[in-house]
Amino acid sequence: MTTVAAKQSKGLKEHEKAQEWWWVAEQTRSKRLDYLRKAVWKKGAIGGVYNPGIKIDLERPILFTEAWKENNQDPQMLRKAKAIAHVLENITIFITDQAQLVGYIGSLPHTIQWYPEGASIVNEEVYNEPGTVPEPEEKSLKIMAEINDYWGGQTAIDKLGRVLNPEDLVKYMSGVIGWGVPTSAYGYAGKDYEYILTGKRGFEDIIEEIDGYMDAAEKKTSGEPGPDILPLYDKILNWEAMQIILEASINFAERYARLARVISENFESDPKRKEELMRISETCEQVPAKPPRNLQESFQFDWFMQTLARFEAYEGAMPCRPDYYHGPYYDKDVNIDKRLTKEEALDLVGEFMIRAHEFGAFIPRLGREGLQGVTGTFVWTMGGVNKDGSDACNDLTVAFMQAARLVRVSNPTFGFRWHPKVKEEVMRECFECIRHGLGYPSMRNDPILVENTVYWYGHPVEEARTWVHQACMSPCPTTKHGFQPIRMASATANCAKMIEYALSDGFDKVVQMQMGPKTGDPRQFKGFEELFQAWVAQMKWMMSLLVRTVNLGRIKDPEFFGRPFLSSISERSVESGIDVVSPEGERGNCWVTFFTWVENADSLAAVKKLVFDEKKYTMDEMITALEAEWEGYEEMRLDFVNNAPKWGNDDDYVDDIMVRCLREVASYSHKIKCPSGNNWPALPENVSGNIHYASLVGALPNGRRLGDALYDGGISPGPGLDKKGPTAVLKSCSKFDHVKDGRAFLLNQRLSPTQLAGEKGYKLWSAYMKTWAELGMDHVQFNMVDDTTLRSAQTDPEKYQELIVRVAGYSAHFVDISRKTQDNIIQRTVVGL
Amino acid sequence: MTTCNECTNFFPLEDDPSTGDCVQRVVDPRQAYYKSKPVDDETDASKCDQFQKK
């Protein structure tokens, strides 16, 4: 049956009964949302490959490089501001039919952005990526080759590579222990929303503020000499850069205002659309130059800001809290002034999500495999508390949950800050999103995470309460000294290598290199303690190497990359004249992302039980089997799978090892410091790293073979290995302290849509959430799609194009992820509540 | 020489008519939209396949 025929054969009620929520959404949403949702070109790669029709945008790389060359006499930040201003003044812009919000980072809707100033290794991939070179291909390739030639050796990463310790560089870039590059060219940036998004100022106001700082500095530099005035010379140039880019941003918005007016006056005949276009024009004349006055302007202000930031750097996450910052405008327009109906507001909310979903920039293969089906992890933060601790949920929180079910995008997703004062109406909205199979919102325990944020970094509690998801999981304040302008989580560890190296004397048999320290021949280990200490040494080595590299990348980032636009919307930079990526003025909010973590506890427990306690095998026999990747040792392997205790079953034998591992890490997290002198706690989660690393991690004592998918991450038990039900999982996961033993802990759970149907389903889920909260857990997220639907989607993907699943800290359309990841999700245990 | 200011797609800026926007209607496989690119009024349009005489 074709897709259309399948849809038309059933009515709304039948689709609801069959839990085919994607058809329900299509039949329920407005015509505008339906058009705009379907208008989006899918930018996420499917199984690592871009969709047909997706093309690299060449306008930005050409314009940026042109201006960069022309202004070679300027210092970094000024040169960059001029280059981006040149792009904003000249790049093609467009307005989609029926749209009310505008702004995209490419010149056309089907393009993905490319930042040639970031990394030569990425540029080579861009050049060689099949299918994405714009037509005419020959001409484009020539242009791309010229751009690559110019940037070769001059990109941010090329420059960083020259100052890193060579051994660290080789190991970091080996691809087996880390994920990401330590530069703000590729990552994400928090925003100082308390400065820029509280309706107190527009870009014109900031330009005026900067005028004041520059005047004062210029007076000093004309006065008595002394060391205090010396930094001001650089700062004046930085302020100039900020003003250039703010003015260019205002002009960029005015280009949209002009285009909307031209369309309205010269092309459009429908009076309603003509009026909408004039409203777009008026909106773009108001923002971002001046503060917003209504919901549309507030969303547009935010969206311009997000778009402009992405003209400057690849930002693959979007730390934000839209219900909190736009909520007052929703209240004013819908409840007080009654300028908008709820339905009209819902159209704007849905379109705001669609604009974010449209985002697309080129991701190298390493990233595409680790982040399948999406272009980033835009986990928007909802709910939570105000600075005084009162409930921050509002009508816009509810509207976002409702809009999510209508537009059904896989990016952005939501993380909901649960706390005891959340009203049931809001909880029901969260549940409906989960029941509709979106896989989001993920549920976050706000009191625990606020306490955690204060504990690890010393953020004042009022600032901690502003927290947003910095990427998938980690909370970060949105304040002057609290927000984080660069992805420090490029210290991402492939943790399965910790146990692998403890059992191989630090040698990596996949890349054939001595990676970790020599911790001794494991065949000679006489007891579990020797193995554990070897593991501790490998863990410390891995964390240290990654953190060292990222710290250096951070310190050098203003010199090698720089963020004039981000600086211009950040209070601490506007005030100080220092590039925002400098750590000066930041309190610190770093964490080491722990991919493939649980394998350590399960593997250590297996060795302890079967080798040292029961003496069923010798270390020599086990190492021999591991070196053979378990080939020829299947019976023994199954013994390690089935007869060794596994995390997630409320079994103290393995759970105690997990807690001990976490406490070793937590202790070390206080010793390694970020450039601001603050801590580096661990945060266990995967994106799709469990699939990406499958071919890079050798056999492990938990019975895993080389090539097998690793566990799906965080503190989630291995797929199918949690055999004692959801309460046992929660009990295992609550045996450590979610405040002091790490930054946050991802937990995946699969629920049965049949069991969770109707009012009874909500009550069951509420009871589960109550237990979860009482046990002090910080995170849980749910997949609620049954095996039959998932298997049907595998055999008939055309019919299930809009089926969404939770992969890790992000959601994806099921048909867009690799077969291996699909199977991994199906293997997860469906728990009965 | 045919120039942009002779074209129906050219919309001069109010405060500086020597420059303006080239505005075109596009229908791609997923959506319809209007696009705009800055141009100078005297830009050579003789090879432009979108040129439409005013």
Side-chain angles (χ1 to χ4, degrees):
Chain A
M1 190 184 284
T2 66
T3 307
V4 175
K7 176 180 63 176
Q8 288 175 344
S9 66
K10 290 179 185 171
L12 185 62
K13 291 283 172 203
E14 283 175 280
H15 286 309
E16 281 176 351
K17 197 176 168 193
Q19 304 198 13
E20 293 169 338
W21 301 112
W22 49 98
W23 296 135
V24 173
E26 197 175 303
Q27 291 186 17
T28 312
R29 63 196 175 203
S30 70
K31 282 183 181 165
R32 185 200 306 274
L33 282 184
D34 195 49
Y35 178 83
L36 294 174
R37 176 65 184 82
K38 289 172 180 168
V40 176
W41 285 80
K42 194 177 270 192
K43 313 284 172 41
I46 300 176
V49 179
Y50 282 110
N51 277 290
I54 298 297
K55 300 292 176 189
I56 299 289
D57 193 286
L58 288 183
E59 286 198 25
R60 181 195 177 278
I62 291 169
L63 291 164
F64 185 94
T65 307
E66 214 168 76
W68 185 261
K69 285 180 184 171
E70 198 180 312
N71 297 298
N72 61 354
Q73 76 285 1
D74 289 326
Q76 179 81 7
M77 190 152 157
L78 191 57
R79 191 179 184 185
K80 187 152 190 185
K82 287 179 180 175
I84 296 168
H86 185 59
V87 174
L88 297 176
E89 282 155 12
N90 292 288
I91 194 168
T92 302
I93 60 168
F94 63 90
I95 296 178
T96 300
D97 284 6
Q98 302 202 36
Q100 297 188 89
L101 300 171
V102 298
Y104 183 61
I105 56 156
S107 57
L108 296 172
H110 65 287
T111 59
I112 50 175
Q113 201 45 267
W114 168 34
Y115 307 88
E117 68 274 29
S120 292
I121 47 171
V122 176
N123 294 347
E124 283 168 23
E125 277 200 43
V126 172
Y127 185 80
N128 290 300
E129 184 66 28
T132 56
V133 177
E135 299 289 344
E137 198 170 302
E138 195 179 336
K139 187 182 169 195
S140 296
L141 282 171
K142 188 167 175 291
I143 292 168
M144 292 162 85
E146 284 168 9
I147 291 171
N148 282 1
D149 282 349
Y150 175 76
W151 286 103
Q154 300 306 317
T155 65
I157 282 295
D158 294 333
K159 289 176 181 172
L160 183 64
R162 291 196 280 272
V163 296
L164 276 167
N165 173 313
E167 191 177 326
D168 279 3
L169 176 66
V170 168
K171 290 179 177 175
Y172 186 89
M173 299 304 280
S174 70
V176 294
I177 58 166
W179 200 69
V181 283
T183 164
S184 53
Y186 303 97
Y188 39 77
K191 307 282 180 299
D192 185 354
Y193 291 121
E194 288 296 299
Y195 177 67
I196 193 66
L197 211 56
T198 46
K200 292 176 195 152
R201 54 179 61 78
F203 288 8
E204 284 176 354
D205 300 306
I206 302 174
I207 291 170
E208 206 178 306
E209 280 176 53
I210 292 173
D211 272 340
Y213 291 122
M214 285 176 84
D215 285 350
E218 278 163 1
K219 265 185 203 159
K220 283 187 184 171
T221 52
S222 308
E224 287 179 359
D228 56 317
I229 69 165
L230 294 176
L232 294 175
Y233 294 94
D234 285 340
K235 289 181 178 194
I236 288 169
L237 293 173
N238 286 348
W239 277 315
E240 189 188 336
M242 292 183 216
Q243 287 193 328
I244 285 171
I245 207 156
L246 287 169
E247 279 161 10
S249 300
I250 292 169
N251 293 339
F252 180 65
E254 282 174 359
R255 290 184 59 203
Y256 280 100
R258 214 161 55 232
L259 175 58
R261 197 167 57 246
V262 165
I263 302 168
S264 177
E265 290 173 352
N266 299 278
F267 296 94
E268 186 58 57
S269 56
D270 175 19
K272 188 168 175 283
R273 183 60 183 159
K274 278 167 91 75
E275 197 184 308
E276 282 176 6
L277 285 159
M278 290 313 288
R279 199 178 315 122
I280 291 172
S281 182
E282 191 187 319
T283 298
C284 296
E285 275 167 6
Q286 176 71 21
V287 297
K290 300 174 182 64
R293 300 165 297 189
N294 55 50
L295 185 64
Q296 182 167 346
E297 288 179 1
S298 189
F299 278 150
Q300 186 63 68
F301 187 105
D302 195 353
W303 188 243
F304 270 137
M305 190 173 66
Q306 302 293 350
T307 304
L308 290 160
R310 285 163 180 80
F311 270 107
E312 187 167 84
Y314 172 89
E315 289 192 11
M318 195 182 290
C320 66
R321 202 179 169 193
D323 60 339
Y324 182 77
Y325 289 107
H326 301 295
Y329 296 97
Y330 180 97
D331 190 42
K332 180 173 175 285
D333 281 7
V334 176
N335 299 329
I336 300 168
D337 296 346
K338 305 208 183 297
R339 183 178 166 272
L340 291 175
T341 64
K342 279 191 176 180
E343 291 70 27
E344 286 168 339
L346 203 57
D347 262 14
L348 279 171
V349 176
E351 187 179 344
F352 189 59
M353 295 184 71
I354 289 168
R355 292 279 82 83
H357 184 59
E358 190 174 40
F359 163 78
F362 182 86
I363 308 178
R365 185 161 284 274
L366 169 80
R368 297 202 301 269
E369 286 178 357
L371 205 59
Q372 293 173 26
V374 293
T375 54
T377 52
F378 294 4
V379 182
W380 291 2
T381 306
M382 300 284 166
V385 294
N386 296 305
K387 286 184 196 166
D388 63 3
S390 59
D391 181 19
C393 295
N394 55 38
D395 286 355
L396 188 52
T397 316
V398 170
F400 266 109
M401 297 294 166
Q402 292 171 345
R405 301 200 292 276
L406 293 175
V407 299
R408 292 185 66 84
V409 292
S410 53
N411 193 45
T413 66
F414 303 152
F416 182 77
R417 289 173 49 179
W418 172 89
H419 56 83
K421 295 173 202 157
V422 173
K423 292 183 182 122
E424 181 162 321
E425 176 204 3
V426 179
M427 285 300 275
R428 281 183 182 273
E429 291 290 343
C430 293
F431 178 67
E432 281 307 308
C433 288
I434 295 165
R435 177 155 52 192
H436 281 219
L438 295 178
Y440 61 89
S442 59
M443 302 301 287
R444 309 304 308 273
N445 192 330
D446 206 46
I448 293 287
L449 288 166
V450 168
E451 192 183 343
N452 179 303
T453 302
V454 172
Y455 171 78
W456 279 104
Y457 313 112
H459 293 300
V461 69
E462 294 77 15
E463 288 192 41
R465 285 175 179 149
T466 68
W467 76 265
V468 293
H469 292 76
Q470 180 72 358
C472 300
M473 289 280 293
S474 184
C476 189
T478 57
T479 58
K480 180 179 177 183
H481 299 293
F483 92 98
Q484 195 174 44
I486 179 172
R487 178 180 186 251
M488 297 300 280
S490 289
T492 289
N494 177 18
C495 296
K497 288 285 179 187
M498 294 172 183
I499 182 64
E500 186 184 324
Y501 293 165
L503 292 167
S504 66
D505 201 12
F507 186 78
D508 192 307
K509 59 191 171 187
V510 177
V511 292
Q512 287 292 304
M513 185 162 64
Q514 184 68 36
M515 290 287 285
K518 284 184 161 287
T519 43
D521 178 359
R523 287 185 164 87
Q524 306 306 318
F525 290 164
K526 300 293 180 230
F528 177 73
E529 207 48 37
E530 275 185 82
L531 171 61
F532 190 78
Q533 291 311 320
W535 179 89
V536 169
Q538 298 296 345
M539 174 271 290
K540 288 182 177 176
W541 164 81
M542 193 181 293
M543 288 182 77
S544 290
L545 187 145
L546 295 170
V547 166
R548 261 197 320 267
T549 307
V550 174
N551 278 351
L552 183 59
R554 174 69 188 273
I555 285 287
K556 302 300 280 184
D557 207 60
E559 184 188 337
F560 294 163
F561 194 76
R563 299 290 310 260
F565 175 74
L566 190 63
S567 301
S568 75
I569 56 167
S570 308
E571 186 178 9
R572 68 177 188 241
S573 287
V574 169
E575 191 179 281
S576 68
I578 294 173
D579 192 320
V580 72
V581 286
S582 159
E584 201 172 323
E586 185 188 324
R587 201 172 289 120
N589 197 81
C590 295
W591 73 94
V592 182
T593 302
F594 269 20
F595 282 3
T596 64
W597 167 248
V598 173
E599 283 80 354
N600 288 285
D602 277 4
S603 294
L604 285 165
V607 183
K608 184 172 190 292
K609 183 162 192 285
L610 298 178
V611 177
F612 295 118
D613 288 0
E614 295 181 359
K615 303 192 189 312
K616 207 167 171 183
Y617 306 97
T618 64
M619 278 299 275
D620 184 58
E621 286 169 331
M622 190 193 72
I623 297 295
T624 302
L626 292 178
E627 285 177 351
E629 305 295 352
W630 290 113
E631 276 193 36
Y633 299 88
E634 185 58 12
E635 199 178 326
M636 181 178 170
R637 186 184 78 83
L638 289 174
D639 203 12
F640 276 76
V641 173
N642 297 320
N643 298 319
K646 297 289 186 287
W647 168 252
N649 293 290
D650 191 21
D651 180 341
D652 283 344
Y653 190 94
V654 57
D655 294 357
D656 287 350
I657 291 173
M658 171 65 97
V659 174
R660 191 177 173 198
C661 289
L662 282 170
R663 298 223 161 118
E664 287 287 348
V665 171
S667 168
Y668 196 56
S669 298
H670 288 282
K671 289 185 181 153
I672 48 176
K673 298 293 180 188
C674 75
S676 304
N678 221 325
N679 303 313
W680 278 90
L683 193 162
E685 67 142 336
N686 284 347
V687 273
S688 306
N690 59 322
I691 305 300
H692 170 74
Y693 285 119
S695 58
L696 299 175
V697 174
L700 296 175
N702 63 343
R704 182 193 161 277
R705 296 159 295 196
L706 173 68
D708 285 349
L710 290 136
Y711 296 171
D712 51 286
I715 52 166
S716 310
L721 298 175
D722 47 335
K723 297 180 186 301
K724 296 199 174 164
T727 309
V729 174
L730 290 181
K731 281 187 176 171
S732 284
C733 294
S734 63
K735 285 179 184 172
F736 58 89
D737 188 336
H738 286 241
V739 172
K740 294 180 179 172
D741 289 335
R743 185 62 176 118
F745 303 87
L746 180 144
L747 177 61
N748 287 323
Q749 289 282 264
R750 270 192 80 194
L751 304 178
S752 157
T754 310
Q755 190 194 16
L756 275 291
E759 181 62 18
K760 191 182 155 203
Y762 174 71
K763 298 286 182 204
L764 279 169
W765 181 76
S766 292
Y768 175 91
M769 290 307 297
K770 188 165 179 285
T771 307
W772 168 84
E774 283 169 359
L775 288 171
M777 314 270 295
D778 74 279
H779 173 277
V780 65
Q781 60 190 13
F782 304 98
N783 267 314
M784 214 187 291
V785 185
D786 60 29
D787 284 354
T788 310
T789 305
L790 296 175
R791 293 212 183 279
S792 301
Q794 284 185 320
T795 52
D796 192 2
E798 187 62 27
K799 199 175 156 188
Y800 294 88
Q801 288 289 309
E802 298 302 327
L803 176 65
I804 292 177
V805 289
R806 193 70 175 173
V807 180
Y810 75 101
S811 293
H813 286 93
F814 188 70
V815 297
D816 294 349
I817 57 180
S818 70
R819 178 70 185 218
K820 204 165 189 171
T821 310
Q822 291 177 347
D823 290 341
N824 185 262
I825 289 168
I826 293 170
Q827 281 163 10
R828 293 177 194 170
T829 309
V830 178
V831 297
L833 300 184
Chain B
M1 181 179 76
T2 312
T3 55
C4 284
N5 59 8
E6 298 169 50
C7 177
T8 53
N9 293 328
F10 180 73
F11 295 89
L13 300 192
E14 279 174 19
D15 53 351
D16 180 11
S18 67
T19 62
D21 297 317
C22 171
V23 177
Q24 293 176 23
R25 173 79 169 160
V26 182
V27 180
D28 75 18
R30 296 199 71 88
Q31 61 173 272
Y33 57 92
Y34 290 91
K35 67 174 184 176
S36 166
K37 181 135 180 90
V39 285
D40 290 333
D41 63 338
E42 295 296 337
T43 303
D44 180 5
S46 52
K47 288 182 183 165
C48 177
D49 58 7
Q50 298 295 315
F51 181 82
Q52 290 181 318
K53 186 87 178 161
K54 275 182 184 166

